[in-house]
Amino acid sequence: MKSDIEIAQEARLKHIREVASLLDINEDELEFYGKYKAKLSNELIDRVKDNKDGKLVLVTAINPTPAGEGKTTTTVGLGQAFAKLGKKAVIALREPSLGPCFGIKGGAAGGGMAQVVPMEDLNLHFTGDFHAITSANNLLAAMLDNHLSQGNSLGIDPNQIVWKRCLDMNDRVLRNIVVGLGRKADGVVREDHFIITVASEIMAILCLADDLEDLKKRLGRIIVAYTYDGKPVTADDINATGSMTALLKDALLPNLIQTLENTPAIVHGGPFANIAHGCNSVRATKTALKLADYVITEAGFGADLGAEKFFDIKCRMAGLKPDAVVLVATIRALKYNGYVRKEDLSQPNMEALKAGIANLEKHIENIQQFKVPVVVTLNQFITDTDEEIGFVKDFCEKRGCSFALSKVWEAGGEGGKELALKVLDTLENKKSDFEPLYGLELSLKEKMRKIATCIYGADDVTFDMAASKAIERLEELGFGNLPVCMAKNQYSLSDDPKKLGRPQGFTVNIREVYVSAGAGFVVAITGTVMTMPGLPAHPAAERIDVNEEGKITGLF
């Protein structure tokens, strides 16, 4: 089998104007970035705003494992399958981050015969959205430090600066730094920090903003620091809002590309789901719903992270109502959750499968708590036995879920028809009564406890003293009615990545809490989650190159 990048580079791409025409988009409603990429204009978004919404399908997964689940691959393949069945469908995805692309995970364009293209462009600089977000974030940091250097008329306490610089790269040495060293003219000496761009509040703001006016208001509400007497200082207070908005004006427009089978794909925004809210932009999803009869979107990592935040943050804020959920798993990953070593996953092992399927069971229960119908799909491998597949199918159907096999990695849209038909049947015959997990009237601690006990399966939640004090302060400032964005490792339902399957008898510890006032949620950090990841011993960057013909190799 050829590599993903080889398949992508051999694809027969259509000019993006032809892809857009499948969604009844006129050429003058596009802003072209070469032949195969375009941004959707404000004129288009305004023209279609009164169209009837299509059906919204969320693709999520069990907790990710080294065996791989193929969530993005399934999302892309399902969209291709809808097109093969003659349906007007569009895929709505997040943009990949350079951090995992050059780190350990690789890109986020799908795989095999279910990819979005141009794959190299998408995984690297794309249309410059992430660069714009990074620039706006760091402009705000620069203006904040300049305010300190120019007399600090607002009375900002340098020890209570909460705004961090960002970079879209895994670089652990930037987590904790000292700035302002040197002469007096070089600034105020203080401790500072970097986060990865996809964890920046500006990324979240871009993805949750309805339009340019809303974007500007949200940017202005960003809290960058506190004064000596404890009052919050915002981006508006340091006069940074207008210039930040100028940097983000074009980045706010959703991007249109295509799949290997020329199905339209709207790709926009990219917050991580373990340390941020994990969903593509509201503008992209809402526009997609106005352009197509079926929209297939995804949320990052497992359903305990991305799907929960999709429901409780994105859908709540944007007024979206998902019609169905596709839950992705593999036999290999289920056996891994039964504590089988990665090198032994190809061997039949019913006992391990029976133990590991508890992880899938919990995710099914979690989605059903939101009252949305579930279709479970298995990405099929050649090593999967009929007995193993039959067991999973029976397990799911006994829990009220539809079940389908997926072969989109090897066969593209054709391999996704079984799944697409199950999803269509679910959309036609099962009603979604979606509602968020918790009400906003609950206290912040009650919301965090609700997520930890109902979604993760924890017995209780503990709070470090600093986290408790932060919660008390935020509620005093009027932020107690916001939803909560939990930052947790993606590998386990618990806050301990080594606890596989369906952990029992554990507590979740919350060590840090802060408000993203512009985004409109409170962030709670659990365990050892880092907002600036590091590179592994042998990062993917070591294998990426460009040949004499200018073709990129080694990207995956």
Side-chain angles (χ1 to χ4, degrees), residues 13-21 23 25-42 44 95 117-118 121-122 126-129 250-258 264-268 284 291:
L13 277 65
K14 290 184 177 179
H15 196 287
I16 198 63
R17 71 166 71 90
E18 295 181 61
V19 178
S21 69
L23 299 175
I25 299 172
N26 302 319
E27 184 173 344
D28 61 0
E29 293 175 321
L30 299 171
E31 296 184 10
F32 294 102
Y33 282 64
K35 296 179 183 178
Y36 308 116
K37 298 173 291 183
K39 280 190 171 289
L40 304 179
S41 68
N42 287 315
L44 167 69
E95 300 175 47
V117 284
D121 292 13
L122 176 61
F126 199 32
T127 58
D129 293 345
D250 293 334
L252 186 61
L253 300 174
N255 308 294
L256 179 68
I257 51 174
Q258 62 192 290
I266 297 176
V267 186
H268 193 221
L291 292 170

Side-chain angles (χ1 to χ4, degrees), residues 411-422:
E414 193 66 35
K417 280 186 175 179
E418 178 184 339
L419 173 59
L421 289 169
K422 285 286 185 182

Side-chain angles (χ1 to χ4, degrees), residues 304-316:
D304 55 320
L305 289 170
E308 185 273 318
K309 295 169 185 179
F310 176 83
F311 294 139
D312 282 326
I313 296 176
K314 178 176 178 177
C315 290
R316 188 198 305 266

Side-chain angles (χ1 to χ4, degrees), residues 142-162:
M143 292 184 72
L144 173 60
D145 277 310
N146 184 60
H147 182 88
L148 293 178
S149 297
Q150 301 294 345
N152 193 12
S153 60
L154 292 172
I156 294 170
D157 180 356
N159 293 315
Q160 293 193 75
I161 290 175
V162 295

Side-chain angles (χ1 to χ4, degrees), residues 66-125:
E69 290 64 59
K71 176 160 51 66
T72 304
T73 302
T74 300
T75 306
V76 176
L78 180 57
Q80 293 178 155
F82 267 82
K84 280 199 173 290
L85 293 171
K87 305 298 182 182
K88 189 177 182 182
V90 63
I91 300 155
L93 298 172
R94 294 175 298 160
E95 300 175 47
S97 164
L98 292 178
C101 188
F102 290 120
I104 193 169
K105 185 176 177 287
M113 302 308 296
Q115 297 185 59
V116 282
V117 284
M119 180 261 221
E120 309 99 301
D121 292 13
L122 176 61
N123 282 321
L124 299 178
H125 301 290

Side-chain angles (χ1 to χ4, degrees), residues 144 160-164 190 223-226 233 473 514-515:
L144 173 60
Q160 293 193 75
I161 290 175
V162 295
W163 190 251
K164 299 174 182 178
R190 65 177 184 88
I223 294 176
V224 296
Y226 294 87
V233 178
R473 184 186 201 181
Y514 59 88
V515 66

Side-chain angles (χ1 to χ4, degrees), residues 9 546-552:
Q9 288 172 342
V546 182
N547 66 20
E548 293 178 354
E549 299 173 351
K551 273 192 174 183
I552 295 172

Side-chain angles (χ1 to χ4, degrees), residues 140 290 408 442:
L140 181 55
K290 299 298 184 183
V408 298
L442 296 180

